[in-house]
Amino acid sequence: MTPRWTLSPVAAALALCALALPVSIAASNVALALLTAALLMRARTDGARMAAAWRSEPALAALALYAAAGLIAALLSDAPAASLRDALKDWHRLWSLGLFVAALALEPMTPLRPALWISFAAMALCGLTQSAQGSAARGTFRAHAFVHPVVFGEQMALAVLGGLCVLLRPTTQAGRRAAEVFTALVFAALVMSQTRMALLAAAAGFGLMALLEPRARRWAVPALIMVASVAAAWEVLPNNGRTLSAIFRPYDPHNNQQTRLVLWDVARRIFQDHPLTGAGPGGYGSLFAAHHSGILETQALWSSAHNLYLHQLAERGLLGGLALLALCATLLSRALRAARADADARALWAAGAVAVLLAMCLTETSFQNEQFASLFLLIWAWGTTSLRPRAEIL
């Protein structure tokens, strides 16, 4: 096949999304707006293909159901106006996924891997530079580039799995060498982010990939040794107590690393008070003070339960919780199906990315972060392209 050195407006905007999403939410929204405009221009000639791709993707229906549950919870809350403003954020994710599904149906050969890898590598280099400078100046060195350290760690976990997928399913020897360098770089950035759950989420993603790809199984022991070595290093590095062992100590109200236990208990009690439709989007933050008095890590008010599943039960009740489970099941089942049917590395990456998301949401509300959610949905939509109708590849 002759390489395509020019990109259509749709492919160019989609590649721009891949470049922008790891770096900046503002730049990402500009790229999404450009992608919207490019797809509108193609709708006259390719609208039927776009509609066919949307109809064939059950994740769009599952995400719409999730967003609808948020609207219902908002309307039935004690503060509908405030809850509705928060609930509207769900439709940003639906918009993003709809754009990615349509664009990939029209331009399945868009060079997303180079775009994503360039962006991930730039972020990793920036984070590692921060770590080196911070260590020399203050003795602390948590990498974060241009985003929150937790979001940075989540991004690097996705990037590590992307590199491993190419190593497991390489297309060329040169591609394998590039993947080795890339994986080493982003793994170093993940370590320096000191985001504990991101490390465990990357391990969970690799575990799922090993179930799908037999060649990954011989790496299982080295991977466990690597994760254990990082965890051991975090015990002695200057990190303000951000160690894995701190999570498992007996509860101590003065141990900042156990703050999540309090946050989860507040979510449980809010859910008990509002079991069917919850307190409404944003309700966790507005009701937090009523269920907990005192300071946690210098904060008196918290707007996140730091667990997506408990957070949604608190804010959307059983209705939203069931919608979230349906969405997670759809994302996972579609990714598994694509990874088994498609030998390409991107399909395996989509499955690993779902494992990262599900694991990260045990201690964060990662899917509620617009930047990370859109990045995840791009990787997922790209990896599951083979399951949807698409334009003929010329």
Side-chain angles (χ1 to χ4, degrees), residues 106-137:
L106 301 181
E107 301 290 347
M109 300 302 290
T110 301
L112 287 183
R113 182 178 296 133
L116 284 168
W117 282 25
I118 288 170
S119 190
F120 279 136
M123 289 286 282
L125 286 170
C126 180
L128 291 172
T129 300
Q130 288 172 332
S131 294
Q133 294 174 341
S135 178

Side-chain angles (χ1 to χ4, degrees), residues 215-260:
R215 281 174 287 189
R217 294 167 194 169
R218 66 176 182 269
W219 295 359
V221 173
L224 286 174
I225 293 174
M226 185 73 72
V227 171
S229 299
V230 173
W234 283 351
E235 296 292 323
V236 296
L237 290 174
N239 55 15
N240 296 321
R242 298 188 59 80
T243 64
L244 288 176
S245 64
I247 303 173
F248 302 104
R249 294 170 188 161
Y251 176 66
D252 177 359
H254 302 293
N255 181 355
N256 286 343
Q257 302 310 313
Q258 294 177 328
T259 295
R260 283 178 175 81

Side-chain angles (χ1 to χ4, degrees), residues 180-247:
E180 290 172 349
V181 174
F182 174 80
T183 305
L185 174 65
V186 294
F187 182 75
L190 170 60
V191 173
M192 290 306 176
S193 77
Q194 298 185 38
T195 305
R196 295 165 296 185
M197 199 60 200
L199 177 67
L200 297 178
F206 177 79
L208 180 58
M209 287 159 43
L211 293 176
L212 297 167
E213 177 54 65
R215 281 174 287 189
R217 294 167 194 169
R218 66 176 182 269
W219 295 359
V221 173
L224 286 174
I225 293 174
M226 185 73 72
V227 171
S229 299
V230 173
W234 283 351
E235 296 292 323
V236 296
L237 290 174
N239 55 15
N240 296 321
R242 298 188 59 80
T243 64
L244 288 176
S245 64
I247 303 173

Side-chain angles (χ1 to χ4, degrees), residues 66 93 264 304-316 320-321 324 327-328 357-358 360-369:
Y66 176 73
R93 289 176 278 280
W264 297 347
S304 169
H306 281 265
N307 178 301
L308 180 68
Y309 314 107
L310 293 175
H311 186 92
Q312 299 301 41
L313 282 176
E315 293 196 341
R316 306 177 190 217
L324 175 61
L327 173 61
C328 292
L357 176 69
L358 298 182
M360 282 302 312
C361 286
L362 292 171
T363 59
E364 301 292 336
T365 53
S366 300
F367 195 65
Q368 298 302 105
N369 180 284

Side-chain angles (χ1 to χ4, degrees), residues 54-70 90-91 93-94 97 316 319-334 367 377 380:
W54 286 329
R55 288 194 300 269
S56 68
E57 183 46 72
L60 284 169
L63 188 51
L65 179 65
Y66 176 73
D90 292 334
W91 299 93
R93 289 176 278 280
L94 183 61
L97 181 58
R316 306 177 190 217
L319 180 65
L322 291 173
L324 175 61
L325 289 179
L327 173 61
C328 292
T330 303
L331 293 171
L332 180 59
S333 63
R334 295 283 284 173
F367 195 65
L377 290 172
W380 183 89

Side-chain angles (χ1 to χ4, degrees), residues 77-79 83 266-267 269-271 273-274 278-280 282-293 300-303 314-315:
S77 71
D78 293 333
S83 284
V266 170
R269 283 185 278 154
I270 293 176
F271 169 64
D273 292 341
H274 307 81
Y284 182 89
S286 62
L287 294 178
F288 183 84
H291 292 84
H292 182 272
S293 59
L301 297 176
W302 290 74
S303 60
E315 293 196 341

